Amino acid sequence: MSGHGDTDVLERPAETVDDGLMPARVRAMIAETDDILRIELVPANGQSFPPPTPGAHIDLHLPERRVRQYSLTLGSCPARYVTGILKEKAGRGGSRHVHEVLRPGDIVQISKPRNAFALADGDRPVTLIAGGIGITPILAMADALSQSGRTWQLAYCARNRTAAAFLEELAAYGDPVRLRFDDEAGSPPDLAEIVADAPEGTDFYCCGPTAMLDAFCEATAGLPEERVHIERFTAARPLVGDGGFLVTLARSGETLSVAADQTILDALLDAGVEVESSCCVGICGTCETKVLEGVPDHRDAILTEEERSSNATMMVCCSRSKSPELVLDL
């Protein structure tokens, strides 16, 4: 939805490190704001990138085995990928490495695009809502919608104008785009009002900080699930009524207690259980784990509704439990 250390990875020849990864050269880095960089990546092996779809993201592989997910934005195509990266002061070091170490000319490894935030087919009107760096995937959606002939509108919210990215590009779309800045309005955006004022039958898409996404989920709680779409790059807060539960590891027989403010992944790692993970917010699928008993509370953006209903697997980085105990194939 963003490390210092050995930077040799950035100087490797233009070849893939792992199956499925692509070498990319950093062609340009442009400061959109004090804390947001527009990064342009081009193929480093003479081949083209796979064509992305609006809402797609890539994994950016950084030194110290850091893997971070960043959305692709306007201008992304087989010849180049464009993203916006916020320097997160309280992050895990990935965005800091991009801002402080990565430079034009460096070679990085990226995944092929994945899309868990795709525009739904059809001709229903669309309302896009973005907060801060959340404009990155939303801008790609706006461009696709402007060319499709569908009715659409976009509300872009930020603390102030100096914290807003891609303003020049947004201005080109004219009336469908509404900018809202907290310091000028005197209060946070009223998402319930934005939702209520949208045309009947509207599809809603929202990407932004956790507080905005939580408010958006509240504002759209009464709408059909297929019309509400969100993209999170930080873990969702526990819901009211969430509590702790037990996780039993089938292979060792060990039972762990997962606290109300703790993820299953955190509990596993604290207990010394090795689990592969990457995004920690349920958008990459790396931590998918087989469920043997119990009912997961799925909070990822990867599994289909059919897969969720089967309860065969779950993403332990973000999902929880509806039953007092889960038995996992670990």
Side-chain angles (χ1 to χ4, degrees):
M1 98 227 103
S2 322
H4 298 289
D6 186 0
T7 58
D8 288 346
V9 172
L10 303 179
E11 299 169 356
R12 289 181 181 175
E15 60 185 14
T16 57
V17 171
D18 298 310
D19 290 342
L21 295 184
M22 305 179 295
R25 184 179 301 278
V26 180
R27 183 160 77 175
M29 303 176 75
I30 301 170
E32 286 288 324
T33 73
D34 289 344
D35 296 319
I36 297 175
L37 282 177
R38 180 204 304 243
I39 310 290
E40 184 174 330
L41 302 168
V42 296
N45 57 2
Q47 301 178 7
S48 296
F49 290 144
T53 53
H57 70 271
I58 57 171
D59 296 344
L60 176 61
H61 289 246
L62 299 169
E64 299 181 358
R65 302 182 65 86
R66 298 178 190 270
V67 182
R68 300 293 183 265
Q69 289 72 36
Y70 297 112
S71 295
L72 297 177
T73 194
L74 178 68
S76 295
C77 63
R80 67 182 180 275
Y81 286 168
V82 183
T83 188
I85 299 180
L86 171 69
K87 184 177 182 179
E88 300 199 36
K89 298 176 177 62
R92 296 172 291 150
S95 65
R96 188 165 61 249
H97 180 93
V98 170
H99 278 251
E100 299 177 2
V101 180
L102 199 66
R103 292 295 178 263
D106 286 341
I107 303 296
V108 293
Q109 298 292 328
I110 63 174
S111 71
K112 296 177 181 178
R114 296 196 299 272
N115 202 338
F117 190 48
L119 281 169
D121 293 332
D123 57 2
R124 291 195 297 257
V126 172
T127 291
L128 307 171
I129 302 173
I133 192 61
I135 191 60
T136 308
I138 294 293
L139 181 55
M141 291 181 171
D143 190 63
L145 289 166
S146 71
Q147 299 178 45
S148 71
R150 292 174 69 175
T151 299
W152 67 280
Q153 59 182 347
L154 187 162
Y156 181 32
C157 312
R159 298 188 309 276
N160 50 58
R161 290 181 183 272
T162 61
F166 302 106
L167 291 181
E168 184 176 343
E169 287 80 2
L170 288 167
Y173 296 107
D175 289 343
V177 175
R178 294 289 182 267
L179 304 178
R180 190 192 183 287
F181 304 108
D182 294 352
D183 64 338
E184 297 176 13
S187 64
D190 187 341
L191 298 192
E193 182 178 352
I194 294 175
V195 170
D197 289 345
E200 186 174 354
T202 290
D203 281 343
F204 295 92
Y205 297 80
C206 185
C207 184
T210 298
M212 166 177 274
L213 294 177
D214 290 342
F216 174 75
C217 288
E218 291 181 11
T220 56
L223 297 178
E225 182 177 303
E226 66 271 14
R227 288 172 45 204
V228 179
H229 312 267
I230 67 172
E231 175 99 298
R232 288 187 187 269
F233 282 93
T234 57
R237 295 186 309 184
L239 303 175
V240 175
D242 273 357
F245 52 93
L246 300 178
V247 169
T248 295
L249 312 183
R251 299 180 198 174
S252 67
E254 183 179 5
T255 296
L256 307 176
S257 177
V258 181
D261 60 350
Q262 184 182 38
T263 67
I264 298 174
L265 178 61
D266 286 339
L268 292 169
L269 296 177
D270 287 348
V273 181
E274 293 289 335
V275 180
E276 290 190 15
S277 63
S278 176
C279 72
C280 295
V281 293
I283 62 171
C284 73
T286 303
C287 70
E288 186 171 5
T289 301
K290 187 175 181 180
V291 179
L292 302 179
E293 295 180 28
V295 182
D297 180 2
H298 298 287
R299 301 187 185 183
D300 64 275
I302 297 291
L303 298 177
T304 64
E305 286 306 311
E306 182 178 353
E307 290 169 332
R308 292 184 178 192
S309 297
S310 74
N311 290 322
T313 65
M314 69 183 300
M315 307 302 163
V316 295
C317 70
C318 63
S319 297
R320 299 186 66 77
S321 181
K322 294 181 179 179
S323 54
E325 181 179 2
L326 291 172
V327 179
L328 303 180
D329 186 19
L330 291 171

